[in-house]
Amino acid sequence: MPLVIEDPRLQPILEKVEAGERLSYDDGVALYRTTDILAVGYMANLVRERLHGSVTYFNVNRHINPTDVCVASCRLCAFGKRVKDPKAYTMSLAEVWHRAGEGWSEAVTEFHIVGGLHPELTLDWYCEMLRGLKVRFPEVHLKAFTMVEVAYLAQRAHTTVRDVLVRLRDAGMDSLPGGGAEIFCDRVRRIICDHKITGDQWLETARTAHELGLRSNCTMLYGHIENEEDRADHLVKLRELQDETRGFVTFIPLAFHPANTPLQHIPTTSGFADIKNIAVARLMLDNIPHIKAYWIMMTPRIAQIALRFGADDIDGTVVEEKIYHDAGATTAQSLRRAELLQLIRKAGRDPVERDTLYHPVTRTETAFTVLV
């Protein structure tokens, strides 16, 4: 049955997609404004299958959040706490290493490490944390620190972002997770995260990381006070930097969870919005290889549907994800590998286990091998 497009604004976009042409900022705005989700999904799936066929990636990973103490007072956040907050926590180095070991098995290929902007933890402390993890888990990829954390460490150490990245890289950091981008629009950032670096500073930090040979992910937080133009602008700026550096591996659209934040009056995102953000990202970000449906935020069921709307990655097994659960996420904190496999196969996709940089992992009863 031929595709029936209900929104006439989408016909010229479909023609571009079929021809493999780059979409414009205006095309992005039109995609965000339309309610014809089936047409948008059809186009996103065309691109997804052109790039990856039926393959869907996942990995076996563990999350580590060393501290929730944060000097920023972002209105979007339910995770960060002040130093004197009785509910705040900061792990010692020994606790970080122990926590990593609690969730580790020989199946784990990645530690995902992010935390708050702690006013007392030093760059030396974080380097020692990385070195200790590498000594204890030499085969595990350390995906650590958002651009915001890196820039804050540079500010505290009175040095450059480049110097901080070099020291972290030399201590064992393998890549960066890409969080903290939120929305690049200054108007929005002044309201939701005015204590963070600017959007331009986030992009410059990512640029520096990529110049040093570090790969990273990138993100966008949607569903708060941003509009369609802000989202389209955000994607175009990521795409422009990717044209320059080719350092982004995966884009992850992150749904805003308003519970327990100063913006809790804002309604949670709908499944419709979650699916649309996956699809529009796949259509606009023609030079970023992978689009991730982060199941821990959008629920496994919505993430499964997203595999037919542009997503080719469903993240990993994850243990103790704190940031979004503090903001009211009700999903489980982990999925077993077998559950991820079933989730992907029930969507009619072919699961492929990967490492952080998307090298396939082959597994036997007792060991795994990364195919580079």
Side-chain angles (χ1 to χ4, degrees):
M1 181 181 295
L3 173 67
V4 177
I5 293 184
E6 298 176 355
D7 186 338
R9 294 174 296 183
L10 299 185
Q11 185 60 45
I13 297 176
L14 173 61
E15 292 170 5
K16 284 186 179 181
V17 170
E18 290 178 331
E21 297 175 9
R22 171 164 284 187
L23 302 187
S24 68
Y25 162 82
D26 289 336
D27 292 332
V29 173
L31 289 166
Y32 275 122
R33 286 181 174 167
T34 188
T35 58
D36 192 354
I37 190 67
L38 293 181
V40 176
Y42 172 84
M43 291 187 284
N45 192 56
L46 280 180
V47 176
R48 183 250 200 263
E49 294 192 352
R50 186 182 298 157
L51 292 170
H52 304 290
S54 193
V55 166
T56 292
Y57 296 96
F58 73 98
N59 69 336
V60 179
N61 63 354
R62 295 292 182 268
H63 282 218
I64 303 172
N65 306 117
T67 182
D68 65 354
V69 172
C70 191
V71 298
S73 299
C74 300
R75 300 186 72 200
L76 57 83
C77 183
F79 173 72
K81 299 178 179 63
R82 294 298 186 182
V83 174
K84 295 182 179 179
D85 189 322
K87 296 181 180 179
Y89 75 89
T90 299
M91 298 180 193
S92 66
L93 288 171
E95 287 173 326
V96 172
W97 300 329
H98 177 74
R99 183 64 59 87
E102 283 183 328
W104 176 83
S105 75
E106 290 188 356
V108 174
T109 60
E110 172 190 285
F111 290 148
H112 178 119
I113 307 167
V114 297
L117 308 181
H118 198 293
E120 297 169 6
L121 297 181
T122 64
L123 176 57
D124 287 339
W125 189 93
Y126 284 108
C127 288
E128 184 62 22
M129 179 190 75
L130 293 170
R131 281 191 290 267
L133 288 169
K134 276 298 183 186
V135 167
R136 290 162 176 81
F137 313 99
E139 301 301 320
V140 177
H141 182 107
L142 302 184
K143 186 174 73 178
F145 312 119
T146 65
M147 310 305 169
V148 177
E149 291 172 273
V150 170
Y152 178 68
L153 285 171
Q155 176 190 334
R156 287 206 58 231
H158 304 289
T159 189
T160 64
V161 163
R162 180 175 294 270
D163 180 56
V164 168
L165 286 165
V166 167
R167 290 185 59 186
L168 292 172
R169 181 195 64 187
D170 292 349
M173 180 180 74
D174 296 302
S175 68
L176 295 89
E182 321 308 2
I183 285 284
F184 293 141
C185 172
D186 289 338
R187 170 186 57 80
V188 176
R189 294 181 83 86
R190 280 194 295 269
I191 297 171
I192 66 170
C193 58
D194 61 330
H195 293 87
K196 280 185 177 177
I197 57 176
T198 66
D200 286 344
Q201 288 171 323
W202 190 99
L203 290 164
E204 184 58 33
T205 302
R207 176 181 288 108
T208 303
H210 298 167
E211 288 172 351
L212 291 169
L214 291 162
R215 308 294 294 278
S216 79
N217 292 339
C218 53
T219 60
M220 179 181 73
L221 187 74
Y222 65 90
H224 41 91
I225 63 167
E226 89 288 356
N227 57 32
E228 293 89 351
E229 290 86 353
D230 298 329
R231 291 194 290 272
D233 172 73
H234 189 98
L235 296 182
V236 168
K237 286 178 177 174
L238 289 174
R239 189 173 69 186
E240 289 173 346
L241 181 57
Q242 181 73 344
D243 279 341
E244 179 184 339
T245 69
R246 297 291 168 173
F248 291 129
V249 179
T250 309
F251 173 76
I252 310 107
L254 301 173
F256 177 54
H257 282 238
N260 304 316
T261 77
L263 297 174
Q264 58 187 341
H265 61 282
I266 294 176
T268 57
T269 61
S270 64
F272 190 94
D274 295 338
I275 291 296
K276 181 186 281 189
N277 275 278
I278 289 283
V280 176
R282 182 62 286 166
L283 290 166
M284 292 295 291
L285 299 177
D286 53 56
N287 54 5
I288 295 181
H290 304 285
I291 304 295
K292 181 182 293 185
Y294 190 31
W295 68 261
I296 206 159
M297 292 188 66
M298 60 174 53
T299 76
R301 291 180 177 184
I302 296 295
Q304 186 181 43
I305 295 170
L307 300 181
R308 290 283 172 177
F309 281 76
D312 66 283
D313 188 285
I314 202 165
D315 200 63
T317 49
V318 182
V319 167
E320 197 181 28
E321 197 292 323
K322 291 184 62 62
I323 294 175
Y324 290 104
H325 281 84
D326 284 355
T330 58
T331 54
Q333 298 243 17
S334 65
L335 286 177
R336 292 179 298 134
R337 183 174 179 276
E339 292 174 308
L340 281 173
L341 290 171
Q342 183 183 43
L343 202 69
I344 295 166
R345 287 173 176 146
K346 291 292 186 182
R349 296 303 193 187
D350 300 321
V352 171
E353 185 173 348
R354 62 169 177 85
D355 70 359
T356 305
L357 299 180
Y358 287 81
H359 302 126
V361 172
T362 60
R363 203 171 285 283
T364 66
E365 290 294 324
T366 58
F368 69 88
T369 303
V370 176
L371 305 179
V372 179

